[in-house]
Amino acid sequence: MATTTITPETAAQDRKPVRRRTVRAIKVHWPVPAATLAACAAGDLDVLRSDESFAPLLRVLETSPELGDFGVYGDVFEVALGVESFTVRTGARPALGSVGGRFLSSTLTVTTYVEVTVGDDELALLLARLTDVHPWEVPVIELSAPMDLVTRG
């Protein structure tokens, strides 16, 4: 894990240095049953461990040490609750909906991070693992440009 420690020169004595590390965010949009989304919204986060539709993503996150590596914390990811909308076009084989219809899907957006030092081949394998288990015909997986995360120094 490559890091840089920065001590503010013009700051008051009581300020601590900060550490920056360069990573890429990987954001996966993952469909779940409406009941799972509702349970999460109500504060029952353990439902994610028991939801069979979420289990394949959870397995990839938990078995890929490069994802969510925060040193003394591993498998780090964040989950945002949401809804996605789409229209099924001719030629699609949708997991939800039918051709010509406009549909809404209860969706979790799962964000994790990978060090920018992970090579292109290894990154491609990680992304392939995510697309391989994704239930949608066209997975929505975002890969950010390199960015810095800031923590305490």
Side-chain angles (χ1 to χ4, degrees):
M1 181 180 331
T3 61
T4 303
T5 302
I6 302 168
T7 304
E9 293 178 23
T10 60
Q13 288 285 16
D14 60 338
R15 290 220 177 129
K16 306 279 191 253
V18 295
R19 182 170 289 153
R20 292 186 339 194
R21 56 189 272 243
T22 305
V23 299
R24 288 175 167 249
I26 298 175
K27 190 178 291 189
V28 181
H29 299 262
W30 195 271
V32 293
T36 299
L37 191 69
C40 287
D44 178 9
L45 303 181
D46 287 329
V47 71
L48 295 178
R49 286 191 180 91
S50 60
D51 184 316
E52 286 303 313
S53 67
F54 191 70
L57 176 58
L58 198 54
R59 277 192 295 276
V60 170
L61 294 169
E62 291 175 343
T63 60
S64 303
E66 307 84 359
L67 296 176
D69 178 11
F70 278 68
V72 295
Y73 293 93
D75 311 326
V76 175
F77 64 91
E78 295 89 33
V79 177
L81 311 181
V83 175
E84 292 204 38
S85 173
F86 57 93
T87 300
V88 180
R89 295 184 177 158
T90 302
R93 295 183 321 269
L96 172 67
S98 56
V99 172
R102 183 146 185 85
F103 298 91
L104 297 171
S105 170
S106 48
T107 303
L108 300 177
T109 302
V110 178
T111 304
T112 191
Y113 302 92
V114 62
E115 292 290 331
V116 75
T117 56
V118 168
D120 288 343
D121 290 343
E122 190 174 1
L123 182 60
L125 288 172
L126 290 168
L127 295 171
R129 289 187 72 202
L130 292 168
T131 58
D132 286 349
V133 299
H134 202 290
W136 286 342
E137 181 178 14
V138 180
V140 178
I141 300 173
E142 302 173 34
L143 176 65
S144 78
M147 63 181 182
D148 287 347
L149 287 180
V150 178
T151 60
R152 292 186 183 102

